[in-house]
Amino acid sequence: MTPAIAIKDLIKDFRIPGSDARLRAVDGLNLTIEREAIYGLLGPNGSGKSTTIKVLLGLLKASAGNCELFGTSSENASARIRVGYLPEAPYFQRFLTGRELLEYFGCLSGLKRAGANDRIDELLERVGLEDAGDRRVGSYSKGMLQRIGLAQALIADPDLLILDEPTAGVDPIGAADIASLITGLKAEGKTVLLCSHLLSQVEAICDRVAIMSRGRLLCEGTVASLTENTGKDSIRVDGLSKDGREAVETLANEQGGTVSAPSRSLEDLFLELARNTEDPL
Amino acid sequence: MSTTNERLHWSFLRVRVIAGNTFREAVRMKLFLAMTILAIGTLASSFLFQEFNFGSSELKFIADFGFGGMTVFGSALAVIVTAQLFYGEIEHRTALTLLAKPIYRSEFVLGKFLGAWATVACFLGMVTICLVFALWGRETSIMAEYPDQFESGRSVHYVAVIGFSAIQALRIGILCSIVVLFSTYASSSLFAMVMGVLIWIVGQLQHIATEAWTAGDSWLLKGVYAVASFALPNFHLFDVGDQLALGENLPGAIYGKLGLYALLYVSFYLAVAGASFNRREL
Ligand SMILES: Nc1ncnc2c1ncn2[C@@H]1O[C@H](COP(=O)(O)OP(=O)(O)OP(=O)(O)O)[C@@H](O)[C@H]1O
Ligand SMILES: [Mg+2]
């Protein structure tokens, strides 16, 4: 079966206005993304993630190399038939209501008119905008724009989703909801390409990840193989009594080690507190 | 999951959806409110001259005023509205999501053009309605005052008034397509607007240049003129207001001739716009 995404020797240069110099945003990238998986594309700011995605969608032209979606060249509009895209920091026609926006994009993506309304209701609920669907998009907050952006990417039930920082600006509960939505998509047999800076989330949901820097691929593989613990000098002990704990501390100190309480991440704390209060939106 | 690759067919349905949404944007931007005020203002100002009471020649004055307003404001609106509706989409990055959908860029170009043109055509329609009412009302009261001047019935040929505005809609269609073309290339909406106004002025004055340049014997000037006169429309052809003496209709052939002329130029500019937009990076 053809892979969902195939990138071969991709180079993308940007002309710097007013000079002959060029900026190489993507530098000889090779990547194959198989179907029915969640793939994380990581890298620091300016490493060429969004540029790669835009070339994949035909929004930018490759300077060299080529990209294919389900075996069709990205330069061809047909390649986008089964693809949904959420741009980074999305911005939509502000004069439309959320519902109208989904109708509009639905029509353009070939959604049949019959059943469109049900689909829109379902998506609004899925992204947590059921109460805001009839408000103008211009009045949406940053996180709500991300949510409606996610809904429009899903509108025509695509097989491949390309999500560029879907959780940027979304509150932690929303981010957790989006993560479970993405895993749900995988269960439906869809492929997801995800760019994100939330590494703990990427670690939890992605099957494979690639890490880019300065337009080049640094490493690529399954999450398990990349995060395999090679340092053998820290251990974790659970279920000790008070005396037992003291004995372990004494022993550890004698051997030149230290014992410290495991830290709970701020994210865990926030989620726990916020989940106990009602009406998150 | 299917493994066969479907082919995307060029679809007029998507063009219509984009055009409809463009028109909706114009409505929600309250452009129509501004345009209605403009239309009524234009005609109301012609009534400032009412006290002169020229008899039936006053009607010609009102008609000329309305025609002038229609042409000048219509053209200005065509430039502003098209640049806003087309380039605005690139400027605000809304085009990014749109063009990542399975659509052809030529569908986007055509849809935006039709939406912008329909918007300005609505303005022309509103001015025309106001104008017909103004002429009718004034004619009725003049008829009562000077019945001897109206022995053979009403003097205004209302069909010709509507015909005139239809011809202006053609002129404005060409102008919209020019602004679309520049918008596909522009990096600011101001650029598209300035170029649009420039071509509008050049197209308006082209017939004057014809006399000056073809009279001289410089081959270079003649060559430049020959190219320019094909690439740029001659908007003076659409100034049929003078030919349209009140009480007479326009010759029927002129509609066909100008219609064809507009169709050729619009197709040409949109084809170039489509090609240019295909190469544009977003
Ligand atoms: N249209 C453009 N013109 C010129 N340079 C650009 C353009 N778009 C991106 N770049 C440059 O290309 C490089 C890669 O940018 P890109 O947006 O792909 O980074 P990114 O990995 O998505 O970063 P982030 O995590 O901040 O979103 C950057 O140096 C950026 O300045
Ligand atoms: Mg980015």
Side-chain angles (χ1 to χ4, degrees), chain A residues 59-78:
Chain A
L59 297 169
L60 294 173
K61 302 252 179 295
S63 306
N66 59 61
C67 305
E68 288 179 357
L69 301 177
F70 296 114
T72 307
S73 166
S74 287
E75 288 170 8
N76 197 327
S78 309

Side-chain angles (χ1 to χ4, degrees), chain A residues 50 88 164-165:
Chain A
S50 301
E88 66 181 332
D164 199 346
E165 302 192 25

Side-chain angles (χ1 to χ4, degrees), chain B residues 103-117:
Chain B
I103 68 174
Y104 286 102
R105 293 207 179 173
S106 48
E107 292 169 349
F108 179 81
V109 167
L110 186 57
K112 282 280 152 187
F113 162 75
L114 290 177
W117 187 26

Side-chain angles (χ1 to χ4, degrees), chain A residues 205-223:
Chain A
I205 66 173
C206 289
D207 300 300
R208 292 181 80 89
V209 295
I211 300 179
M212 290 178 73
S213 176
R214 296 170 174 263
R216 290 168 191 261
L217 187 64
L218 293 185
C219 63
E220 199 266 350
T222 62
V223 175

Side-chain angles (χ1 to χ4, degrees), chain A residues 12 35 58-59 61 70 72 78 80 82 85 89 91 93 95 100 104-105 108-109 136 152 189, chain B residues 1-2 5-6 8 14 21 24-25 28 89 92-93 97-101 103 105 278 281-282:
Chain A
K12 177 63 196 173
R35 299 185 184 199
L59 297 169
K61 302 252 179 295
F70 296 114
T72 307
S78 309
R80 298 191 296 267
R82 291 186 283 143
Y85 167 56
Y91 198 85
Q93 283 74 7
F95 58 94
E100 286 168 339
Y104 178 44
F105 284 146
L108 291 179
S109 333
R136 294 260 172 110
Q152 66 78 28
Chain B
M1 191 186 297
S2 66
N5 282 326
E6 308 120 274
L8 186 70
R14 288 193 291 265
N21 197 57
R24 179 156 59 174
E25 176 171 6
R28 301 223 173 141
E89 196 112 31
H92 298 135
R93 296 192 302 120
T97 328
L98 202 62
L99 295 171
K101 299 281 171 213
I103 68 174
R105 293 207 179 173
N278 257 329
E281 302 210 308
L282 291 158

